[in-house]
Amino acid sequence: EHFLEVTCRELRQQLPYAWVAAVVQDEQGDPTLRRGRVALAGDADRTMPELRALAQALLLRAQPGRPIIIDSELAGSEPSLNDSAIAQPIVRDGRVIGLLIAAGKQGTDQDASSVDIKLVTAAASHIEIFLENAGLYEDLNAMFLGTLESLTASIDAKDKYTCGHSRRVALLTKQLAAASGCDANTLHRMHIAGLVHDVGKIGVPERVLVKPGDLDAEEFDWIRRHPEIGHRILRDIPHFDDVLAGVRHHHERWDGQGYPAGTAGADIPLVARMIAIADAFDAMTSSRTYREGMSRETVLAELQRCAGTQFDPTLVPIFVSLDFTEYDRMVAEHTTAEQQAVVVQERAA
């Protein structure tokens, strides 16, 4: 949206037109422009729905590489358009996905000049290149997240009782961050941090992870190592510092009695404080070999009881007020997947 807005604003500064707008299909790939993204510079003297309707009408005539020119004689023939205009198709993969429109030419000559057309065409080409690069970035990001999910799923699979744990913690951490007022980029980073918070368990012996009873001192020492192990595994990934803070410190306590650094209070990174609550909630809710999962009411009460000692007292009230609908759906999905895996194993045996 920012790129489209800047393009429209700068183009209008160079052209004698009352307004310049870019309308592009939404992320869901709606073949129309009625829900498209809109950037506008100038006064179009119409509402956004009217602007989308205009773009949709022009889209029916649009062909890749061919600008639509509406001169002063044709003005008024398009819905909601009483001025001369240029509408340059925005193309991706050979398909028109939007339009860059300049309308309401000012001055004595009301018709589009060759310079006007060239500038609008060049600007549309820049938008096409930007959208192509954005699409490549989204593909890379999806592949990156898919790799992280596969990695964390393989760790969770070591213990059938933790199936889907990392994905659920990632969801809850992101929800908590959203409810706390974090911006969209921070939510994305919080989600990644929650997803990989237990990656260090890959270095913990499986016999320790799946032991049904209490851990002895040596075994507990192994468990205490997993935040540092996870930090070492991920530390060479560029621009991962904020994620690393969540991985390394999600077992710190508000009172300073946690590990590995014994950091206390607000000195604990925010992402780690959020993961700590989400992690504890999912752990207490889930069943283990040595106990049944607690009821939600009991778990939420326990979180409130430990606010100010184990957990950030400002975050706990926000967490307990979250909508857990998506979490419940995810739990049901993971439970079904685990049951199916057990059936397959039994049949194979």
Side-chain angles (χ1 to χ4, degrees):
E1 287 86 352
H2 177 69
F3 182 84
L4 294 177
E5 289 169 1
V6 170
T7 300
C8 291
R9 185 168 61 248
E10 293 190 354
L11 185 60
R12 182 172 177 267
Q13 291 174 353
Q14 302 300 320
L15 292 175
Y17 284 78
W19 57 272
V20 176
V23 186
V24 181
Q25 287 176 358
D26 67 3
E27 293 178 344
Q28 282 67 44
D30 184 353
T32 75
L33 295 178
R34 297 192 184 278
R35 296 201 311 268
R37 301 178 181 213
V38 179
L40 174 65
D43 183 9
D45 193 25
R46 67 203 70 215
T47 65
M48 286 300 176
E50 289 173 341
L51 193 55
R52 290 188 178 93
L54 168 63
Q56 178 59 33
L58 294 172
L59 182 68
L60 300 177
R61 297 168 44 187
Q63 299 180 37
R66 298 184 62 179
I68 300 170
I69 308 299
I70 302 172
D71 59 25
S72 56
E73 294 182 1
L74 293 176
S77 62
E78 300 294 343
S80 303
L81 184 62
N82 298 315
D83 306 307
S84 58
I86 306 168
Q88 175 66 35
I90 298 171
V91 180
R92 185 174 181 190
D93 297 329
R95 183 173 62 87
V96 178
I97 62 168
L99 292 167
L100 180 60
I101 305 169
K105 188 169 183 181
Q106 301 168 330
T108 56
D109 185 0
Q110 297 293 303
D111 294 335
S113 69
S114 60
V115 174
D116 298 341
I117 296 170
K118 287 180 180 178
L119 281 173
V120 173
T121 301
S125 295
H126 283 294
I127 292 175
E128 291 171 355
I129 293 170
F130 178 84
L131 293 177
E132 179 66 25
N133 289 337
L136 292 173
Y137 172 80
E138 289 175 358
D139 290 343
L140 286 172
N141 187 54
M143 182 175 66
F144 175 66
L145 287 177
T147 301
L148 292 182
E149 288 192 358
S150 297
L151 175 62
T152 56
S154 67
I155 297 167
D156 290 348
K158 282 188 171 187
D159 180 358
K160 69 178 182 179
Y161 290 97
T162 62
C163 176
H165 169 71
S166 296
R167 287 182 58 199
R168 295 193 297 271
V169 170
L171 169 70
L172 293 172
T173 302
K174 184 177 180 180
Q175 284 186 310
L176 178 56
S180 300
C182 295
D183 59 43
N185 181 64
T186 302
L187 298 187
H188 177 64
R189 304 298 289 179
M190 292 286 188
H191 179 264
I192 292 176
L195 194 62
V196 300
H197 76 283
D198 270 348
V199 72
K201 287 185 176 179
I202 200 169
V204 177
E206 190 167 344
R207 61 178 174 78
V208 175
L209 293 177
V210 301
K211 184 176 179 180
D214 294 335
L215 302 178
D216 61 31
E218 180 184 359
E219 292 165 339
F220 186 64
D221 184 58
W222 269 112
I223 292 295
R224 289 171 62 95
R225 295 180 195 176
H226 82 269
E228 295 278 22
I229 296 173
H231 182 273
R232 288 198 298 271
I233 290 173
L234 301 173
R235 65 186 176 188
D236 292 329
I237 298 178
H239 312 299
F240 233 49
D241 291 346
D242 53 344
V243 173
L244 289 175
V247 172
R248 186 170 187 266
H249 295 290
H250 69 276
H251 279 292
E252 305 288 1
R253 290 172 51 110
W254 187 258
D255 61 9
Q257 299 303 306
Y259 61 89
T263 309
D267 289 337
I268 304 170
L270 177 62
V271 60
R273 284 179 267 151
M274 291 188 172
I275 293 174
I277 297 173
D279 188 30
F281 175 85
D282 189 69
M284 288 189 286
T285 303
S286 304
S287 296
R288 295 290 187 265
T289 54
Y290 50 89
R291 63 159 174 82
E292 289 295 317
M294 302 178 188
S295 69
R296 176 157 304 162
E297 294 75 14
T298 302
V299 172
L300 294 179
E302 182 67 10
L303 291 178
Q304 291 173 309
R305 187 184 70 82
C306 295
T309 54
Q310 185 172 351
F311 306 115
D312 183 335
T314 63
L315 292 177
V316 170
I318 300 174
F319 184 87
V320 299
S321 65
L322 294 179
D323 181 355
F324 294 100
T325 302
E326 178 60 19
Y327 174 82
D328 291 336
R329 186 205 62 77
M330 192 175 285
V331 169
E333 173 190 318
H334 294 156
T335 300
T336 300
E338 183 54 39
Q339 290 172 345
Q340 291 174 345
V342 170
V343 170
V344 170
Q345 291 174 353
E346 290 176 347
R347 288 177 178 175

